[in-house]
Coordinates of all heavy atoms in Angstrom, one line a residue:
M20 N 95.7 77.8 137.8 CA 96.9 77.7 137.0 C 97.5 79.1 136.8 O 96.8 80.0 136.4 CB 96.6 77.1 135.6 CG 97.9 77.1 134.7 SD 97.4 76.5 133.0 CE 98.1 74.9 133.1
K21 N 98.7 79.3 137.1 CA 99.3 80.7 137.1 C 100.0 80.9 135.7 O 100.8 80.0 135.3 CB 100.4 80.8 138.2 CG 100.8 82.2 138.4 CD 101.7 82.3 139.7 CE 102.1 83.7 139.8 NZ 102.9 83.9 141.1
T22 N 99.7 82.0 135.1 CA 100.4 82.3 133.8 C 101.7 83.0 134.0 O 101.7 84.0 134.7 CB 99.4 83.1 132.9 OG1 98.2 82.5 132.8 CG2 100.0 83.3 131.5
E23 N 102.7 82.6 133.3 CA 104.0 83.3 133.4 C 104.0 84.5 132.6 O 103.3 84.6 131.6 CB 105.1 82.4 132.8 CG 105.6 81.3 133.7 CD 106.8 80.6 133.1 OE1 107.7 81.3 132.5 OE2 106.9 79.4 133.3
K24 N 104.7 85.6 133.1 CA 104.8 86.8 132.3 C 105.7 86.5 131.1 O 106.8 86.0 131.3 CB 105.4 87.9 133.2 CG 104.5 88.3 134.3 CD 105.2 89.4 135.1 CE 104.3 89.8 136.3 NZ 104.9 90.9 137.1
Q25 N 105.3 86.9 129.9 CA 106.1 86.7 128.8 C 106.2 88.1 128.0 O 105.2 88.7 127.9 CB 105.6 85.7 127.8 CG 105.6 84.3 128.4 CD 105.2 83.2 127.5 OE1 104.6 83.5 126.4 NE2 105.4 82.0 127.8
E26 N 107.4 88.4 127.6 CA 107.5 89.7 126.8 C 107.0 89.4 125.4 O 107.1 88.3 124.9 CB 109.0 90.0 126.7 CG 109.6 90.5 128.1 CD 111.0 90.9 127.9 OE1 111.7 90.4 127.1 OE2 111.4 91.8 128.7
I27 N 106.4 90.5 124.8 CA 106.1 90.5 123.4 C 107.2 91.2 122.7 O 107.5 92.4 122.9 CB 104.8 91.3 123.2 CG1 103.6 90.6 124.0 CG2 104.4 91.3 121.7 CD1 102.4 91.4 124.1
V28 N 107.9 90.5 121.8 CA 109.1 90.9 121.2 C 108.9 90.8 119.6 O 108.4 89.8 119.1 CB 110.3 90.1 121.6 CG1 111.6 90.6 120.9 CG2 110.5 90.1 123.1
C29 N 109.3 91.9 118.9 CA 109.3 91.9 117.5 C 110.2 90.8 116.9 O 111.4 90.8 117.3 CB 109.6 93.2 116.9 SG 109.6 93.3 115.1
N30 N 109.7 89.9 116.1 CA 110.6 88.9 115.5 C 111.6 89.4 114.5 O 112.6 88.8 114.3 CB 109.7 87.8 114.8 CG 109.1 86.9 115.8 OD1 108.1 87.2 116.5 ND2 109.6 85.7 116.0
C31 N 111.4 90.6 114.0 CA 112.3 91.2 113.1 C 113.4 92.0 113.7 O 114.6 91.7 113.5 CB 111.6 92.2 112.1 SG 110.6 91.3 110.9
C32 N 113.1 92.9 114.6 CA 114.1 93.8 115.1 C 114.4 93.6 116.6 O 115.2 94.3 117.2 CB 113.7 95.3 114.9 SG 112.3 95.8 115.9
K33 N 113.6 92.7 117.3 CA 113.8 92.4 118.7 C 113.3 93.5 119.7 O 113.6 93.5 120.8 CB 115.2 92.0 119.0 CG 115.7 90.8 118.3 CD 117.1 90.4 118.8 CE 117.6 89.2 118.0 NZ 119.0 88.9 118.5
K34 N 112.6 94.5 119.1 CA 112.0 95.5 120.0 C 111.0 94.9 121.0 O 110.2 94.1 120.6 CB 111.3 96.6 119.2 CG 110.6 97.6 120.0 CD 109.9 98.6 119.0 CE 109.2 99.8 119.8 NZ 108.6 100.7 118.9
I35 N 111.2 95.2 122.3 CA 110.2 94.7 123.3 C 109.0 95.6 123.3 O 109.1 96.9 123.5 CB 110.9 94.7 124.7 CG1 112.1 93.8 124.7 CG2 109.9 94.4 125.8 CD1 112.9 93.8 125.9
M36 N 107.8 95.0 123.1 CA 106.6 95.8 122.9 C 105.7 95.8 124.2 O 104.7 96.4 124.2 CB 105.9 95.3 121.7 CG 106.7 95.6 120.4 SD 105.9 94.9 119.0 CE 106.3 93.2 119.1
G37 N 106.0 94.9 125.1 CA 105.2 94.8 126.3 C 105.2 93.4 126.9 O 106.1 92.6 126.5
R38 N 104.3 93.1 127.8 CA 104.2 91.8 128.4 C 102.8 91.3 128.2 O 101.8 92.1 128.1 CB 104.5 91.9 129.9 CG 105.9 92.2 130.2 CD 106.2 92.1 131.7 NE 107.6 92.4 132.0 CZ 108.6 91.5 131.9 NH1 108.3 90.3 131.6 NH2 109.8 91.9 132.2
T39 N 102.6 90.0 128.2 CA 101.3 89.4 128.0 C 100.3 89.7 129.1 O 99.1 89.7 128.9 CB 101.4 87.9 127.7 OG1 102.0 87.3 128.9 CG2 102.1 87.6 126.5
D40 N 100.7 90.0 130.3 CA 99.8 90.3 131.4 C 99.4 91.8 131.5 O 98.7 92.1 132.4 CB 100.4 89.8 132.7 CG 101.6 90.6 133.1 OD1 102.3 91.0 132.3 OD2 101.9 90.6 134.3
K41 N 99.9 92.6 130.6 CA 99.6 94.0 130.6 C 99.2 94.4 129.2 O 99.4 93.7 128.3 CB 100.8 94.8 131.0 CG 101.3 94.6 132.4 CD 102.5 95.4 132.8 CE 103.0 95.2 134.2 NZ 104.2 95.9 134.5
I42 N 98.7 95.6 129.1 CA 98.4 96.2 127.8 C 99.7 96.5 127.1 O 100.6 97.1 127.7 CB 97.5 97.5 127.9 CG1 96.2 97.1 128.6 CG2 97.3 98.1 126.6 CD1 95.4 98.3 128.9
P43 N 99.9 96.0 125.8 CA 101.1 96.3 125.1 C 101.4 97.8 125.1 O 100.5 98.7 125.0 CB 100.8 95.8 123.7 CG 99.7 94.8 123.9 CD 98.9 95.3 125.0
V44 N 102.7 98.2 125.1 CA 103.1 99.6 125.1 C 102.9 100.2 123.7 O 102.7 101.4 123.6 CB 104.6 99.7 125.5 CG1 105.0 101.1 125.7 CG2 104.9 98.8 126.8
V45 N 103.0 99.4 122.7 CA 102.9 99.9 121.3 C 102.0 98.9 120.5 O 101.8 97.8 120.9 CB 104.2 100.0 120.6 CG1 105.1 101.0 121.2 CG2 104.9 98.7 120.5
E46 N 101.5 99.4 119.4 CA 100.7 98.5 118.5 C 101.6 97.5 117.8 O 102.8 97.9 117.5 CB 100.0 99.3 117.5 CG 98.8 100.0 118.0 CD 97.6 99.1 118.2 OE1 97.5 98.0 117.6 OE2 96.8 99.4 119.0
Y47 N 101.2 96.3 117.5 CA 102.0 95.3 116.8 C 101.0 94.4 116.1 O 99.8 94.3 116.3 CB 102.9 94.6 117.8 CG 102.2 93.7 118.8 CD1 102.1 92.3 118.5 CD2 101.6 94.2 119.9 CE1 101.4 91.5 119.4 CE2 101.0 93.4 120.8 CZ 100.9 92.1 120.6 OH 100.2 91.3 121.5
L48 N 101.6 93.6 115.2 CA 100.8 92.6 114.4 C 101.2 91.2 114.9 O 102.4 90.9 115.0 CB 101.1 92.7 112.9 CG 100.6 91.6 112.0 CD1 99.0 91.6 111.9 CD2 101.2 91.6 110.7
H49 N 100.2 90.4 115.3 CA 100.5 89.0 115.7 C 99.9 88.1 114.7 O 98.7 88.3 114.3 CB 99.8 88.7 117.1 CG 99.9 87.3 117.5 ND1 101.1 86.8 118.0 CD2 99.1 86.2 117.4 CE1 101.0 85.5 118.3 NE2 99.8 85.2 117.9
V50 N 100.7 87.2 114.2 CA 100.3 86.3 113.1 C 100.4 84.8 113.6 O 101.4 84.5 114.2 CB 101.1 86.4 111.8 CG1 100.8 85.4 110.8 CG2 101.0 87.9 111.3
E51 N 99.3 84.0 113.4 CA 99.3 82.6 113.7 C 98.9 81.9 112.4 O 97.9 82.3 111.8 CB 98.3 82.3 114.8 CG 98.7 82.7 116.1 CD 97.8 82.3 117.2 OE1 97.2 81.2 117.1 OE2 97.6 83.1 118.2
K52 N 99.6 80.9 112.0 CA 99.3 80.2 110.8 C 99.5 78.7 111.0 O 100.5 78.2 111.4 CB 100.2 80.6 109.6 CG 100.1 79.9 108.3 CD 98.8 79.9 107.7 CE 98.8 79.1 106.4 NZ 97.4 78.9 105.9
E53 N 98.4 77.9 110.7 CA 98.5 76.5 110.7 C 98.6 76.1 109.2 O 97.7 76.3 108.4 CB 97.3 75.8 111.3 CG 97.3 75.9 112.8 CD 96.2 75.2 113.5 OE1 95.8 74.1 113.0 OE2 95.7 75.6 114.5
W54 N 99.7 75.4 108.8 CA 99.9 75.0 107.4 C 99.2 73.7 107.1 O 99.1 72.9 107.9 CB 101.4 74.9 107.1 CG 102.1 76.2 107.3 CD1 102.7 76.7 108.4 CD2 102.2 77.2 106.3 NE1 103.2 78.0 108.1 CE2 102.9 78.3 106.8 CE3 101.8 77.3 105.0 CZ2 103.2 79.4 106.1 CZ3 102.1 78.5 104.2 CH2 102.8 79.5 104.8
G55 N 98.6 73.6 105.9 CA 97.8 72.5 105.4 C 98.5 71.6 104.5 O 99.7 71.6 104.3
Y56 N 97.7 70.7 103.9 CA 98.2 69.6 103.0 C 99.1 70.1 101.8 O 100.0 69.4 101.4 CB 97.0 68.8 102.4 CG 96.3 68.1 103.5 CD1 94.9 68.4 103.8 CD2 96.9 67.1 104.2 CE1 94.2 67.7 104.7 CE2 96.2 66.4 105.2 CZ 94.9 66.7 105.4 OH 94.2 66.0 106.4
F57 N 98.8 71.2 101.2 CA 99.5 71.6 100.0 C 100.7 72.5 100.3 O 101.0 73.4 99.5 CB 98.5 72.2 99.0 CG 97.3 71.4 98.7 CD1 96.1 71.6 99.3 CD2 97.5 70.2 98.0 CE1 95.0 70.8 99.0 CE2 96.4 69.4 97.7 CZ 95.1 69.7 98.2
S58 N 101.3 72.3 101.4 CA 102.4 73.1 101.9 C 103.6 72.2 102.2 O 103.4 71.1 102.6 CB 102.0 73.9 103.1 OG 103.1 74.4 103.8
E59 N 104.8 72.8 102.1 CA 106.0 72.1 102.6 C 106.0 72.1 104.2 O 106.8 71.4 104.8 CB 107.2 72.8 102.1 CG 107.4 72.8 100.6 CD 107.7 71.4 100.1 OE1 108.5 70.7 100.7 OE2 107.2 71.1 99.0
K60 N 105.1 72.8 104.8 CA 105.0 72.9 106.3 C 103.8 72.2 106.8 O 103.3 72.5 107.9 CB 105.0 74.4 106.7 CG 106.3 75.1 106.3 CD 106.1 76.6 106.5 CE 107.1 77.5 105.7 NZ 107.0 77.4 104.3
D61 N 103.3 71.2 106.1 CA 102.1 70.5 106.5 C 102.1 70.1 107.9 O 103.1 69.4 108.4 CB 101.9 69.3 105.6 CG 100.6 68.5 105.8 OD1 99.7 69.1 106.5 OD2 100.5 67.4 105.4
G62 N 101.1 70.5 108.7 CA 101.0 70.1 110.1 C 101.8 71.0 111.1 O 101.7 70.8 112.3
E63 N 102.4 72.0 110.6 CA 103.1 73.0 111.4 C 102.2 74.2 111.8 O 101.5 74.6 110.9 CB 104.4 73.5 110.7 CG 105.6 72.8 110.9 CD 106.8 73.5 110.3 OE1 107.1 74.7 110.7 OE2 107.5 72.9 109.4
K64 N 102.4 74.7 113.0 CA 101.8 75.9 113.4 C 102.9 76.9 113.7 O 103.8 76.6 114.5 CB 100.9 75.7 114.6 CG 100.2 77.0 115.0 CD 99.3 76.8 116.2 CE 98.7 78.2 116.6 NZ 97.8 78.1 117.8
Q65 N 102.8 78.0 113.1 CA 103.8 79.1 113.3 C 103.2 80.4 113.8 O 102.1 80.6 113.4 CB 104.6 79.3 112.0 CG 105.4 78.1 111.5 CD 106.1 78.4 110.2 OE1 105.7 79.3 109.4 NE2 107.1 77.7 109.9
E66 N 103.9 81.1 114.6 CA 103.4 82.4 115.0 C 104.5 83.3 115.2 O 105.6 83.0 115.5 CB 102.5 82.3 116.3 CG 102.9 81.5 117.4 CD 101.8 81.4 118.5 OE1 101.4 82.5 119.0 OE2 101.4 80.3 118.9
F67 N 104.2 84.7 115.0 CA 105.2 85.7 115.2 C 104.6 87.0 115.4 O 103.4 87.2 115.2 CB 106.2 85.8 114.0 CG 105.5 86.1 112.6 CD1 105.4 87.4 112.2 CD2 105.1 85.1 111.8 CE1 104.8 87.7 111.0 CE2 104.5 85.3 110.6 CZ 104.4 86.6 110.2
D68 N 105.4 87.9 116.0 CA 104.9 89.3 116.3 C 105.8 90.3 115.5 O 107.0 90.1 115.4 CB 105.0 89.6 117.8 CG 104.1 88.7 118.5 OD1 102.9 88.5 118.2 OD2 104.5 88.1 119.5
I69 N 105.2 91.3 115.0 CA 105.9 92.3 114.2 C 105.5 93.7 114.7 O 104.3 94.0 114.8 CB 105.6 92.3 112.7 CG1 105.9 90.9 112.1 CG2 106.3 93.4 111.9 CD1 107.3 90.6 111.9
C70 N 106.5 94.6 115.1 CA 106.2 95.9 115.5 C 105.7 96.7 114.3 O 105.9 96.3 113.2 CB 107.5 96.6 116.2 SG 108.8 97.0 115.0
E71 N 105.2 97.9 114.6 CA 104.6 98.7 113.5 C 105.7 99.2 112.5 O 105.4 99.2 111.3 CB 103.9 99.9 114.1 CG 103.1 100.7 113.1 CD 102.2 101.8 113.7 OE1 102.3 102.0 114.9 OE2 101.5 102.5 112.9
S72 N 106.9 99.5 113.0 CA 107.9 100.0 112.1 C 108.3 98.8 111.1 O 108.5 99.1 109.9 CB 109.1 100.4 112.9 OG 110.2 100.8 112.1
C73 N 108.5 97.6 111.6 CA 108.9 96.5 110.8 C 107.7 96.1 109.8 O 108.0 95.7 108.7 CB 109.3 95.3 111.6 SG 110.9 95.6 112.4
Y74 N 106.5 96.3 110.3 CA 105.3 96.0 109.5 C 105.3 97.0 108.3 O 105.1 96.6 107.1 CB 104.1 96.2 110.3 CG 102.8 96.2 109.4 CD1 102.2 95.0 109.1 CD2 102.2 97.4 109.0 CE1 101.1 95.0 108.3 CE2 101.1 97.4 108.2 CZ 100.5 96.2 107.9 OH 99.4 96.1 107.1
D75 N 105.6 98.2 108.6 CA 105.6 99.2 107.5 C 106.7 98.9 106.4 O 106.4 99.0 105.2 CB 105.9 100.6 108.0 CG 104.7 101.2 108.8 OD1 103.6 100.7 108.6 OD2 104.9 102.1 109.6
K76 N 107.9 98.5 106.9 CA 108.9 98.1 105.9 C 108.5 96.9 105.1 O 108.8 96.8 103.9 CB 110.2 97.8 106.7 CG 110.8 99.0 107.3 CD 112.0 98.6 108.2 CE 112.5 99.8 109.0 NZ 113.5 99.3 110.0
W77 N 107.9 95.9 105.8 CA 107.5 94.6 105.2 C 106.5 94.9 104.1 O 106.6 94.5 103.0 CB 106.9 93.7 106.2 CG 106.5 92.4 105.8 CD1 107.1 91.6 104.8 CD2 105.4 91.6 106.3 NE1 106.4 90.4 104.7 CE2 105.4 90.4 105.6 CE3 104.5 91.8 107.3 CZ2 104.5 89.4 105.9 CZ3 103.6 90.8 107.6 CH2 103.5 89.6 106.9
V78 N 105.4 95.7 104.4 CA 104.3 95.9 103.4 C 104.8 96.7 102.2 O 104.3 96.6 101.1 CB 103.0 96.4 104.0 CG1 102.4 95.4 105.0 CG2 103.2 97.7 104.6
K79 N 105.8 97.6 102.4 CA 106.4 98.4 101.3 C 107.0 97.5 100.3 O 107.2 97.9 99.1 CB 107.3 99.4 101.8 CG 106.6 100.6 102.5 CD 107.6 101.7 102.9 CE 106.9 102.8 103.6 NZ 107.8 103.8 104.2
S80 N 107.4 96.3 100.7 CA 108.1 95.4 99.8 C 107.1 94.6 99.0 O 107.5 93.9 98.0 CB 109.0 94.4 100.6 OG 108.3 93.4 101.3
F81 N 105.8 94.6 99.2 CA 104.8 93.9 98.5 C 104.7 94.3 97.0 O 104.8 95.6 96.8 CB 103.5 94.0 99.2 CG 103.3 93.3 100.5 CD1 104.3 92.7 101.1 CD2 102.1 93.4 101.2 CE1 104.2 92.1 102.3 CE2 101.9 92.8 102.4 CZ 102.9 92.1 103.0
Q82 N 104.6 93.4 96.1 CA 104.4 93.8 94.7 C 103.0 94.4 94.5 O 102.8 95.2 93.6 CB 104.6 92.5 93.9 CG 105.9 92.0 93.9 CD 107.0 92.9 93.3 OE1 106.8 93.4 92.2 NE2 108.0 93.2 94.0
I83 N 102.0 93.9 95.3 CA 100.6 94.5 95.2 C 100.4 95.2 96.5 O 100.5 94.6 97.6 CB 99.6 93.4 95.0 CG1 99.9 92.6 93.7 CG2 98.2 94.0 95.0 CD1 99.0 91.4 93.5
P84 N 100.1 96.5 96.4 CA 99.9 97.3 97.7 C 98.8 96.8 98.5 O 97.8 96.3 97.9 CB 99.6 98.7 97.2 CG 100.1 98.8 95.7 CD 100.0 97.4 95.2
I85 N 98.9 97.0 99.8 CA 97.8 96.6 100.7 C 96.6 97.5 100.5 O 96.7 98.7 100.0 CB 98.2 96.5 102.2 CG1 98.6 97.9 102.6 CG2 99.3 95.5 102.4 CD1 98.7 98.0 104.1
V86 N 95.4 97.0 100.8 CA 94.2 97.9 100.8 C 94.1 98.5 102.2 O 94.1 97.8 103.2 CB 92.9 97.0 100.5 CG1 91.7 97.9 100.6 CG2 93.1 96.4 99.1
S87 N 93.9 99.8 102.2 CA 93.9 100.5 103.5 C 92.6 101.4 103.5 O 92.3 102.1 102.5 CB 95.1 101.4 103.6 OG 95.1 102.1 104.9
K88 N 91.8 101.3 104.6 CA 90.6 102.0 104.7 C 90.6 102.8 106.1 O 91.1 102.2 107.0 CB 89.4 101.2 104.7 CG 89.2 100.4 103.4 CD 88.0 99.5 103.4 CE 87.9 98.7 102.1 NZ 86.9 97.7 102.1
E89 N 90.1 104.0 106.1 CA 90.1 104.8 107.3 C 88.9 104.3 108.2 O 87.8 104.1 107.7 CB 89.9 106.3 107.0 CG 90.0 107.1 108.3 CD 89.9 108.6 108.0 OE1 89.9 109.0 106.8 OE2 89.8 109.4 108.9
V90 N 89.3 104.1 109.5 CA 88.2 103.7 110.4 C 88.0 104.9 111.3 O 88.9 105.5 111.9 CB 88.7 102.5 111.3 CG1 87.7 102.2 112.4 CG2 89.1 101.3 110.5
T91 N 86.7 105.3 111.3 CA 86.4 106.6 112.0 C 85.8 106.3 113.5 O 85.9 107.2 114.3 CB 85.3 107.4 111.3 OG1 84.2 106.5 111.0 CG2 85.9 107.9 110.0
E92 N 85.4 105.1 113.7 CA 84.9 104.7 115.1 C 85.9 103.7 115.7 O 85.9 102.6 115.3 CB 83.5 104.1 115.0 CG 82.4 105.1 114.6 CD 81.1 104.5 114.6 OE1 80.8 103.6 115.4 OE2 80.2 105.0 113.8
L93 N 86.6 104.1 116.7 CA 87.6 103.3 117.4 C 86.9 102.7 118.6 O 86.2 103.4 119.3 CB 88.8 104.0 117.7 CG 89.6 104.6 116.5 CD1 90.8 105.5 117.0 CD2 90.1 103.6 115.6
V94 N 87.1 101.4 118.8 CA 86.5 100.8 120.0 C 87.5 100.6 121.1 O 88.6 100.4 121.0 CB 86.0 99.3 119.6 CG1 84.9 99.0 120.5 CG2 85.6 99.2 118.2

């Protein structure tokens, strides 16, 4: 089975971050969520990609700041 090349695009700003068959050009956040019984979206699966710039803007809007820890060993 041959996999089609698909661009990885930020859902917020439409920045192209790379293709699925290559290493992404920039870091990004990929989110997948399957909604459950106590949701208005019961049975739906949603996914999206956010570039680092849009991620930074998004988390700055949080009422409770994110927890951030320094990682000294990168894999």
Side-chain angles (χ1 to χ4, degrees):
M20 177 187 255
K21 192 172 181 179
T22 306
E23 280 187 39
K24 294 180 182 180
Q25 293 183 351
E26 289 181 332
I27 302 168
V28 180
C29 178
N30 284 77
C31 287
C32 70
K33 298 184 182 179
K34 176 181 182 178
I35 297 172
M36 297 175 281
R38 296 187 178 274
T39 55
D40 66 332
K41 296 180 181 176
I42 297 172
V44 188
V45 296
E46 285 285 335
Y47 67 99
L48 172 69
H49 177 78
V50 176
E51 290 183 32
K52 172 63 178 165
E53 287 187 34
W54 295 93
Y56 293 117
F57 305 106
S58 163
E59 296 291 321
K60 298 167 196 67
D61 183 19
E63 268 185 60
K64 179 179 179 181
Q65 298 178 337
E66 41 184 307
F67 60 90
D68 298 311
I69 303 286
C70 71
E71 188 173 5
S72 176
C73 289
Y74 170 84
D75 290 340
K76 292 174 193 170
W77 182 34
V78 298
K79 283 181 184 176
S80 74
F81 291 1
Q82 295 296 309
I83 299 171
I85 63 168
V86 175
S87 182
K88 297 177 183 175
E89 185 177 353
V90 178
T91 55
E92 292 184 30
L93 301 175
V94 208

